Amino acid sequence: MAETVKEAAGGEREYSETEIAVHWREEEYVQPPEGFKEQATAGDESLLERFREENFPECFEDYADMLTWDKKWDTLLDSSNPPFFKWFVGGRLNACVNCVDRHLESRGEKNAIVWVPEPEDDEIVEITYSDLHRRVNEFASLLKSLGLKRGDRITFHLPMIPELPVSMLACARLGVIHSQVFGGFSGAACGQRAADSQSRILVTADSYYRAGNLLDHKARADEAVEEARREGQEIEKVLVWRRIPGEYHSESEMVEGRDFFIDELLEEHAGKEVEPESMPAEDTLFLMYTSGTTGRPKGAQHSIGGYLAYVTGTSKYYQDIHPDDTYWCFADIGWITGHSYIVYGPLALGTTTVMYEGAPTHPDPGRPWRIAEKLGVDIFHTAPTTVRMLRKVGPDEPAKYDYHFKTMTTVGEPIEPNVWRWYYDVVGKGKAAITDTWWMTETGGFMGSTLPGLQPMKPGSCGPAALGIQLVIYDEDGNEIPKGSGKAGYICVRNPWPGRMLTVWGQDERFIETYYKRFNKDPNSKDWRDWPFMCGDGAVQAEDGYFRILGRIDDVINVAGHRLGTKELESAATAVEEVAEAAAVPVIDETRGKIVEMYISLKPGNEDGDAIAKKVSAEIERQIGKVARPKNVWVVPDMPKTRSGKIMRRVIAGISNFADVGDTSTLANPEVVDGIRDYVQGEKRARGEDTQELSKSEQQEIAAYGTSSE
Ligand code: WTA
């Protein structure tokens, strides 16, 4: 049993040591915009009935029926070997056929992909379904000529250029397993992943635009090849897409016999068509590496039939995608969001999906809204971090442009209610339904969200469990926490679902260990009910069934026995008018275990950092309590961030603790780190706060802080 500790001040209330305190106030409902339901793909309550618990697993046939199958499945769900569940067993299909070929007849001349290059004067590239079919076939023909076949793995290290989805779909056509490593990652990170997946071929690009610069990307391939070799994997060929046709923008020399320009190789494959492989549904479509708690990368292995059915169904119902929409998911395809909701889901539905190469604020913060206006985007999808940034630097920009969104999605982190409001009022102009979609790399698609036509929104909550998903919250001891109790715990999925990863590539044991061991009571059980999937987030469920996600379990700061969700602290801080962004980190403290330090950046035009820092402290104390009052509030010009925009809390946690900040090579802005360190550590020394010696385990804890959500 968990111990209880008395609150130091007051002494009245007893907190369980394992209790995650929840202080984020429940918000009111916001109803879907008028007229939305009538046109919605999910506008009929009977859908909710069809997906009720007693209709599991048959309910998921609804999603599978949206696909074109070469052969229908014999067994809907094979759960005989938990937790290695298989869906649509005996069924055969091809993902590329579903995303491309089957639309040719009805939509061949409609745009499949619209690509917006970062330089605003460059021409926008429109790729129709017929064009896409041709390009995918030619590249598939080339891959085939290199000896790639069903089940082989290939690593991509590609930026946001249209050749990325073309390459993915070409693999899908051949049954080759693609593993795209986020373009912003270092060459070493790419090489490590290529080695883990035993890839012989690396596909990259020479360069790409980001924030006004043409960046050298090919140089990273050289590092990747070396790193993979160190790990015992030989990359035999590096295939290079050229960002600007006919030009080469890299310092790295092409290595004779190893490196090839794809446009040159393709000459021989012009106009070639490749017969799509009819693949077993439970075979593998791709790997997506994600951070784990150990150094070894963790390749989430996703299936063909189950995954594609799940992302297609959720794209249709949750994002309300109709074929004639122009849908823009402003994310990077290098993350699961891009795989599921830029490429596979939208293309399976035959819609037009927009890709943007560059930075949100290039050349100015009006850019996203100009793109929306110009292309007639009506469904918009992005992460809270992008919303916060755009609010910070261009709060009045959306009003200047004439676009109309009917739905807007958010993904990736909890969205603070006040940021939600700006998104709704200013970006959506009060006319768009917001779907806050909670899920993760491992789940393939949305796990918690509102259906935009049928369920009201509630700022700060993602919503109820997604269709057919049975969510549950357990406490430390595996007892179910009832809804409405105000208590938080570990959110888990009770039942198997088609979008779930099959396993960790090459590490079945780790798959069980990471996701199932915690709440499985009988490892020999053959009943899926004994195998809840642990998502890794803390969450609380309100009386109405809506979930609020408090962040990764490991993002919880335990101050004198009180577990404070990082996100709650940050939400309180950003409730202060002048604050643009906030990050909370733990600082090791002799008497209280850990204390909180806050880092904030200010909206433009605010000078008086000291006064605002005081306001932040006061607001945290007001919203959460004295226990959460930060030791320090540091005002910094910018937070260290990943390319995907997530604040790298371990870097600032390292600074606050006078510890190693670790690898900063994956930061979008590594140059800010030194400035922050000089300022914060200088101040702390002056205040005599630098005396703490960290133990080995404390050092490790700080180094790992927040990494699972990076
Ligand atoms: C967090 C991204 C709150 C969560 C799709 C999860 C969210 C992690 C939300 C997975 C949301 C994602 N509200 N938190 N709507 N969506 N998260 O694997 O902590 O990059 O565990 O997948 O992001 O991140 P990943």
Side-chain angles (χ1 to χ4, degrees):
M1 269 308 283
E3 279 180 41
T4 58
V5 289
K6 288 232 180 220
E7 194 176 16
E12 294 297 328
R13 188 175 160 199
E14 292 208 337
Y15 287 85
S16 149
E17 215 254 302
T18 56
E19 182 181 333
I20 301 166
V22 183
H23 308 273
W24 196 336
R25 191 169 64 83
E26 280 288 322
E27 299 282 320
E28 305 286 316
Y29 286 130
V30 179
Q31 296 299 329
E34 198 146 332
F36 188 90
K37 187 174 169 184
E38 290 65 37
Q39 64 80 54
T41 52
D44 186 343
E45 261 89 14
S46 67
L47 185 67
L48 298 168
E49 290 296 313
R50 287 212 300 283
F51 276 89
R52 281 170 72 100
E53 211 165 306
E54 57 268 31
N55 297 328
F56 175 84
E58 291 75 26
C59 56
F60 285 116
E61 289 182 351
D62 188 291
Y63 289 176
D65 287 342
M66 293 178 194
L67 302 181
T68 303
W69 295 80
D70 299 336
K71 176 181 173 293
K72 203 184 154 163
W73 55 93
D74 310 310
T75 311
L76 176 60
L77 168 64
D78 173 0
S79 60
S80 60
N81 181 29
F84 300 96
F85 306 117
K86 290 180 175 174
W87 286 86
F88 312 117
V89 182
R92 298 186 92 93
L93 78 168
N94 183 283
C96 177
V97 167
N98 274 278
C99 291
V100 185
D101 302 45
R102 68 167 174 160
H103 306 308
L104 289 177
E105 206 177 320
S106 59
R107 312 191 54 78
E109 298 319 308
K110 300 265 184 185
N111 284 335
I113 297 172
V114 176
W115 180 65
V116 183
E118 191 189 69
E120 208 163 1
D121 294 335
D122 284 8
E123 220 166 297
I124 289 175
V125 177
E126 298 185 344
I127 302 172
T128 64
Y129 276 95
S130 305
D131 297 335
L132 185 61
H133 183 258
R134 180 182 49 76
R135 294 180 65 163
V136 165
N137 271 283
E138 289 175 353
F139 192 58
S141 166
L142 164 57
L143 292 178
K144 202 171 171 180
S145 75
L146 299 175
L148 281 164
K149 53 181 191 321
R150 260 174 75 162
D152 288 347
R153 279 80 55 208
I154 180 169
T155 295
F156 302 159
H157 195 204
L158 288 168
M160 281 291 282
I161 55 176
E163 288 74 16
L164 170 50
V166 166
S167 304
M168 290 162 69
L169 292 163
C171 288
R173 194 168 192 85
L174 299 173
V176 170
I177 300 170
H178 60 75
S179 171
Q180 153 73 3
V181 177
F182 174 53
F185 273 165
S186 64
C190 173
Q192 208 188 16
R193 287 157 178 75
D196 190 78
S197 63
Q198 300 124 318
S199 296
R200 293 187 293 114
I201 295 180
L202 172 65
V203 180
T204 190
D206 68 324
S207 60
Y208 63 100
Y209 280 100
R210 184 83 197 180
N213 303 308
L214 188 60
L215 305 180
D216 181 345
H217 190 61
K218 159 69 168 55
R220 294 179 175 169
D222 301 330
E223 294 160 23
V225 170
E226 264 181 46
E227 179 69 27
R229 187 174 294 146
R230 260 197 294 279
E231 306 227 349
Q233 178 65 27
E234 199 56 34
I235 293 180
E236 293 157 17
K237 289 191 173 59
V238 176
L239 310 183
V240 184
W241 290 105
R242 286 197 262 202
R243 167 63 183 77
I244 303 172
E247 298 180 16
Y248 182 58
H249 294 272
S250 172
E251 296 287 306
S252 151
E253 288 195 18
M254 296 290 280
V255 176
E256 178 80 39
R258 187 198 75 180
D259 301 353
F260 302 89
F261 288 125
I262 295 173
D263 56 290
E264 289 175 1
L265 298 181
L266 276 176
E267 280 167 17
E268 262 182 52
H269 301 273
K272 291 236 170 99
E273 288 204 12
V274 176
E275 197 54 37
E277 285 283 327
S278 187
M279 298 294 291
E282 71 275 24
D283 262 29
T284 303
L285 183 58
F286 66 86
L287 308 180
M288 168 65 62
Y289 281 88
T290 184
S291 356
T293 43
T294 72
R296 180 160 179 208
K298 193 164 68 175
Q301 184 178 334
H302 280 287
S303 71
I304 300 172
Y307 170 84
L308 195 63
Y310 197 72
V311 299
T312 305
T314 49
S315 292
K316 178 167 174 169
Y317 292 146
Y318 285 92
Q319 308 202 76
D320 200 47
I321 294 181
H322 301 249
D324 286 329
D325 287 319
T326 299
Y327 164 85
W328 181 18
C329 172
F330 191 179
D332 196 293
I333 296 177
W335 305 114
I336 192 70
T337 300
H339 276 51
S340 300
Y341 298 111
I342 297 178
V343 181
Y344 286 114
L347 292 179
L349 292 171
T351 197
T352 300
T353 183
V354 175
M355 277 178 78
Y356 171 55
E357 176 181 30
T361 54
H362 184 82
D364 61 70
R367 185 71 190 278
W369 322 124
R370 279 201 294 287
I371 294 172
E373 178 184 274
K374 184 159 186 179
L375 302 181
V377 172
D378 62 344
I379 305 178
F380 185 69
H381 183 161
T382 197
T385 174
T386 308
V387 179
R388 282 188 224 109
M389 180 201 298
L390 291 166
R391 181 178 72 149
K392 175 179 169 183
V393 295
D396 306 319
E397 290 302 311
K400 297 179 190 162
Y401 298 94
D402 184 20
Y403 61 82
H404 174 69
F405 294 156
K406 65 168 181 171
T407 59
M408 301 193 300
T409 302
T410 99
V411 59
E413 335 160 52
I415 183 164
E416 299 87 344
N418 67 337
V419 178
W420 193 101
R421 291 270 163 209
W422 185 79
Y423 197 33
Y424 185 79
D425 292 335
V426 180
V427 177
K429 307 180 180 192
K431 295 195 181 109
I434 292 184
T435 49
D436 180 344
T437 60
W438 166 74
W439 58 296
M440 54 215 53
T441 303
E442 294 87 338
T443 68
F446 307 149
M447 300 307 279
S449 184
T450 49
L451 283 163
L454 296 176
Q455 295 160 330
M457 306 160 248
K458 191 157 67 169
S461 299
C462 64
L467 291 167
I469 301 296
Q470 302 165 24
L471 296 179
V472 58
I473 300 177
Y474 291 121
D475 70 11
E476 198 80 19
D477 304 314
N479 304 309
E480 197 170 325
I481 298 180
K483 63 182 180 184
S485 69
K487 287 204 182 128
Y490 300 83
I491 188 164
C492 297
V493 192
R494 255 187 230 281
N495 60 325
W497 72 100
R500 194 209 61 174
M501 66 195 275
L502 295 168
T503 185
V504 177
W505 175 257
Q507 304 181 70
D508 284 350
E509 270 313 307
R510 188 169 176 195
F511 178 62
I512 299 175
E513 180 86 26
T514 311
Y515 305 104
Y516 286 99
K517 205 161 185 180
R518 187 76 173 75
F519 295 109
N520 166 253
K521 293 196 177 105
D522 173 10
N524 297 317
S525 169
K526 296 289 173 205
D527 186 347
W528 60 259
R529 289 167 196 80
D530 291 325
W531 293 88
F533 177 92
M534 186 178 84
C535 299
D537 281 324
V540 61
Q541 189 180 25
E543 191 59 50
D544 59 9
Y546 279 41
F547 291 90
R548 274 182 297 157
I549 306 300
L550 304 173
R552 302 292 305 180
I553 305 291
D554 33 18
D555 279 357
V556 166
I557 306 179
N558 188 334
V559 180
H562 302 267
R563 293 190 174 191
L564 305 169
T566 318
K567 274 286 142 195
E568 301 185 300
L569 291 155
E570 294 167 0
S571 177
T574 51
V576 173
E577 249 286 67
E578 298 88 343
V579 174
E581 282 201 302
V585 296
V587 175
I588 308 290
D589 183 84
E590 262 165 333
T591 49
R592 311 178 81 199
K594 285 190 203 79
I595 46 171
V596 175
E597 274 194 6
M598 298 298 301
Y599 282 71
I600 58 171
S601 68
L602 306 181
K603 290 182 191 158
N606 291 297
E607 306 295 347
D608 193 354
D610 285 350
I612 297 163
K614 285 209 180 77
K615 275 200 202 173
V616 166
S617 277
E619 186 61 22
I620 289 174
E621 191 174 333
R622 194 182 72 77
Q623 285 200 21
I624 305 178
K626 257 202 177 83
V627 63
R629 193 165 56 187
K631 172 87 173 174
N632 290 303
V633 180
W634 304 113
V635 183
V636 295
D638 201 0
M639 305 278 183
K641 286 194 186 138
T642 63
R643 279 283 174 69
S644 68
K646 290 195 181 173
I647 298 174
M648 273 206 161
R649 294 188 178 78
R650 72 170 161 81
V651 172
I652 45 181
I655 291 174
S656 273
N657 287 281
F658 290 83
D660 185 13
V661 297
D663 178 16
T664 53
S665 70
T666 57
L667 287 183
N669 54 351
E671 71 282 358
V672 304
V673 175
D674 286 348
I676 299 175
R677 186 195 289 111
D678 290 350
Y679 161 59
V680 170
Q681 297 189 347
E683 283 288 324
K684 290 184 84 149
R685 281 203 186 89
R687 297 177 198 178
E689 289 176 21
D690 58 337
T691 49
Q692 185 79 33
E693 272 281 316
L694 301 189
S695 70
K696 188 111 188 110
S697 73
E698 285 167 342
Q699 281 171 16
Q700 276 167 356
E701 192 185 341
I702 294 299
Y705 182 67
T707 46
S708 62
S709 56
E710 265 169 32

